[in-house]
Amino acid sequence: FIGNYYFTHSLNNKQTFVFALAFIFAIVCAIRTIYPTKYTEKTCFLNTKFFTPFTIRSLATIAELAYITLCVYVFIHIIELIHQYSNKEIGYLKPYVYAVIPIIILAEIFSWSGSITEYQPWNIIEEVMWLVATLIFIVLSLYILSIIKNIKSQKIKSVYRLFTIAIPIATLFALFLAIVDIPMYVNRWKKDKKLEINPIEIKTIKDFVLDFKEKHKLDYNKKINDLQQCRKIDQSFNEWKQEIPWLTGYFTIGVWSSFAIAIWYKNNS
C-alpha cells in the first residue's frame, strides 16, 4: 500500500522522507510477521539460518527507530503548523517532543541488553521507556488539543481530528503496556528466579544489585553468538499465547498508524 501510494502520488523531499520511514517500519513488520521471535529465550517460530534472533532484533531496532522518528518529525510539523495558521506560539514544546528520541534509543539498548544477557529486568525497563515516551505524546497532544479546539482554520481542524483519533489509540497502548506487557516481563523474571539453583532472594535494592552483578558475570562473546541461532523452534499455541496480543496490535495498528501519519503529513504539508 505505502509503496503504491508513493509511486502514484507526487511527493516533495520531506514527504518522501516521511513515507520512507513508514515504509521501513511496514516492511520490517512484514518480515517479523513471518518470523516471530522471542529474543531473550532465543525461541523462533520457523527454522531459518538467516532470520535469527540477532537479525530480527536488528531489524526491529531499525524499524522502531524509524517509527519514533516519524512520530517526532510529524509532531514537530504540527507545532509549526499551529504557529503558522494561528497566533499560538507553542515552540516551547519542541524539547519535550525531541526528548522522546533518546528515551527510545535507551529502550533499544535495554532490549539488546535483555536479549544478550537473558536478564528480564532489562526488558521491563525497555517497556517502561516505551510507556514514558507514549505518555509524553499523550500529555502534549491533550495540551495542544485544549489550545486549538476553538480555532476555525481547516489546517488546525485537521490537527484536531488527528489528535482525537490518536489520543485514544495511544492511551490504549499505554494501558496495555502498564497492565499487560510490563507485568508479563515481571512474571517471566519471577519464573526465571524459581528455576535458579541458588537464587538470591530480592528484598532490598542491595539484593537486586547483588543479583544483577551475578547475572552479568558472562562470556559476552558466547552470548552474542547465541543470538545468531534459534535455541528452540516452536509453533505451539501455548508457547506464543502471551505474545499474540502485543504482536497482533504491533503488526496491525502499528503499521496502519504509520501509513495514516505519513498520509496525513502529505495532505497537510
Side-chain angles (χ1 to χ4, degrees):
F1 173 82
I2 204 76
N4 178 67
Y5 194 96
Y6 174 82
F7 287 111
T8 56
H9 292 74
S10 177
L11 304 174
N12 60 34
N13 289 339
K14 290 182 178 180
Q15 292 166 347
T16 300
F17 173 68
V18 166
F19 272 81
L21 294 173
F23 179 78
I24 290 169
F25 184 73
I27 198 69
V28 170
C29 283
I31 294 170
R32 293 176 67 195
T33 301
I34 300 170
Y35 300 98
T37 306
K38 294 165 76 172
Y39 315 111
T40 305
E41 296 86 350
K42 317 296 185 293
T43 301
C44 303
F45 190 78
L46 296 174
N47 190 9
T48 170
K49 291 184 178 180
F50 181 74
F51 290 109
T52 62
F54 181 87
T55 304
I56 296 296
R57 182 60 255 172
S58 299
L59 291 173
T61 299
I62 294 168
E64 288 169 355
L65 290 176
Y67 185 85
I68 209 65
T69 302
L70 170 66
C71 293
V72 168
Y73 190 86
V74 173
F75 210 107
I76 293 298
H77 173 71
I78 287 170
I79 290 174
E80 294 172 350
L81 199 70
I82 291 170
H83 177 62
Q84 182 180 351
Y85 288 92
S86 73
N87 60 349
K88 307 294 183 181
E89 172 53 65
I90 54 173
Y92 54 86
L93 297 179
K94 287 184 179 181
Y96 301 102
V97 180
Y98 285 126
V100 170
I101 293 178
I103 289 172
I104 297 305
I105 291 174
L106 278 175
E108 297 299 330
I109 293 171
F110 295 147
S111 179
W112 275 100
S113 298
S115 299
I116 293 169
T117 66
E118 302 179 17
Y119 192 56
Q120 297 288 354
W122 285 118
N123 302 102
I124 296 169
I125 302 170
E126 173 205 357
E127 298 305 306
V128 170
M129 292 292 98
W130 277 101
L131 178 58
V132 170
T134 305
L135 291 174
I136 289 173
F137 277 131
I138 292 171
V139 171
L140 292 176
S141 299
L142 287 170
Y143 177 72
I144 291 174
L145 209 59
S146 68
I147 291 175
I148 67 173
K149 62 182 179 180
N150 295 321
I151 299 176
K152 304 300 182 182
S153 165
Q154 289 302 312
K155 289 289 186 181
I156 305 301
K157 285 183 178 180
S158 179
V159 173
Y160 189 91
R161 287 191 295 269
L162 175 67
F163 279 163
T164 54
I165 296 171
I167 291 172
I169 294 173
T171 302
L172 288 173
F173 177 61
L175 288 172
F176 179 83
L177 288 172
I179 298 171
V180 179
D181 222 34
I182 294 173
M184 178 182 73
Y185 285 108
V186 171
N187 290 331
R188 287 180 182 178
W189 182 32
K190 291 179 179 178
K191 183 180 178 181
D192 288 347
K193 293 294 292 178
K194 290 179 180 179
L195 296 174
E196 293 175 13
I197 298 174
N198 294 307
I200 297 173
E201 189 175 0
I202 299 175
K203 293 183 177 180
T204 65
I205 295 176
K206 186 177 180 181
D207 294 334
F208 175 79
V209 171
L210 181 61
D211 182 71
F212 180 89
K213 289 180 178 179
E214 286 295 319
K215 295 298 187 301
H216 289 76
K217 293 177 180 179
L218 304 167
D219 182 343
Y220 285 95
N221 288 330
K222 182 179 182 301
K223 284 294 183 181
I224 292 172
N225 286 333
D226 284 346
L227 275 172
Q228 304 284 351
Q229 56 189 340
C230 298
R231 183 180 299 163
K232 179 181 178 183
I233 308 297
D234 198 326
Q235 299 176 6
S236 68
F237 174 78
N238 191 56
E239 179 67 34
W240 296 95
K241 63 183 180 181
Q242 286 188 313
E243 312 297 317
I244 290 172
W246 79 262
L247 287 174
T248 302
Y250 192 109
F251 297 146
T252 55
I253 298 172
V255 174
W256 298 336
S257 67
S258 70
F259 293 170
I261 293 168
I263 293 171
W264 183 92
Y265 177 83
K266 192 266 181 185
N267 294 331
N268 291 274
S269 63

